[in-house]
Amino acid sequence: MEYRILGNTVPVVEAALQPGESLYTQSGGMAWKTEGIEMSTNARGGVLKGLGRMFSGESLFMATYTATRPGVVAFASTVPGSILPLNVSSASGFTIQKGSFLCAQQSVNLEVTFTRKMSSGFFGGEGFILQRLSGRGMAFLEVDGDVVERTLAPGETLYVDTGNVVGFEDTVNFEAEMVRGLENIFFGGEGLFLTKLTGPGKIILQTQNFGDFTGKIFSRMPSRN
């Protein structure tokens, strides 16, 4: 499968498929396609897995686009930002925050997973439910703003505002840690908790926290008297 990323502000990934090749996405994720690209919709993996996806921010049904002859299909991001190609290998899975998945080859599995510690679920900002990519093939992630990739050494720790976390390898430990100091808690503007990522492993961050962005827009909207 060949692909290219088009656009800068609100990009799309356009994939050139040969007969028999396919990509799947959440319902409504397709931007355009040529003749010869057929769509089928189902609760990928069954109804229970579909319900799990709903809790993780995706749709109950997934749409699969399969080429019956050479053609292209494109999937667009929903907010200004970037699209990140991710080569998923069977040797190591990759956990992503809900809302980051855009599309993937059929050989890549998208599963619901849970935070490892109770505190991370309550206070990590993303709840207990995350998503995990496994298998082998290409997946594409939707990133708010620009992409920042880092590889943490064993024992190396990075504290991140939860809204800026896109995903991390299975080898990375994920937990929430409370901000220290009363002044920081009440006046720091970063909330009570930060996400603590500890290596070894690859992590992906995004420069924009879209939740904060929409909150600022909402705060500036005129209210009715």
Side-chain angles (χ1 to χ4, degrees), residues 15-146:
L17 303 182
Q18 297 302 314
E21 290 184 326
S22 60
L23 288 170
Y24 70 93
T25 184
Q26 63 178 331
S27 180
M30 191 271 294
W32 63 77
K33 67 182 182 71
T34 60
E35 292 184 350
I37 304 294
E38 302 295 332
M39 181 183 76
S40 62
T41 304
N42 56 62
R44 181 181 173 86
V47 175
L48 290 179
K49 287 190 176 181
L51 290 173
R53 286 194 300 270
M54 286 183 63
F55 287 114
S56 65
E58 303 292 347
S59 56
L60 171 62
F61 294 96
M62 305 294 280
T64 300
Y65 294 86
T66 304
T68 59
R69 61 187 184 188
V72 300
V73 60
F75 304 94
S77 57
T78 55
V79 299
S82 311
I83 292 177
L84 176 68
L86 182 67
N87 189 0
V88 180
S89 69
S90 58
S92 177
F94 206 87
T95 298
I96 60 175
Q97 69 165 315
K98 54 189 179 183
S100 293
F101 175 78
L102 182 60
C103 62
Q105 291 182 295
Q106 286 283 72
S107 53
V108 175
N109 302 313
L110 177 67
E111 305 168 309
V112 173
T113 188
F114 298 88
T115 52
R116 299 170 186 169
K117 294 190 177 183
M118 190 73 71
S119 61
S120 301
F122 277 121
F123 306 118
E126 295 301 328
F128 289 106
I129 303 175
L130 299 170
Q131 293 178 304
R132 184 174 181 271
L133 296 169
S134 61
R136 185 179 295 275
M138 291 301 300
F140 298 88
L141 305 183
E142 182 175 349
V143 178
D144 301 341
D146 295 317

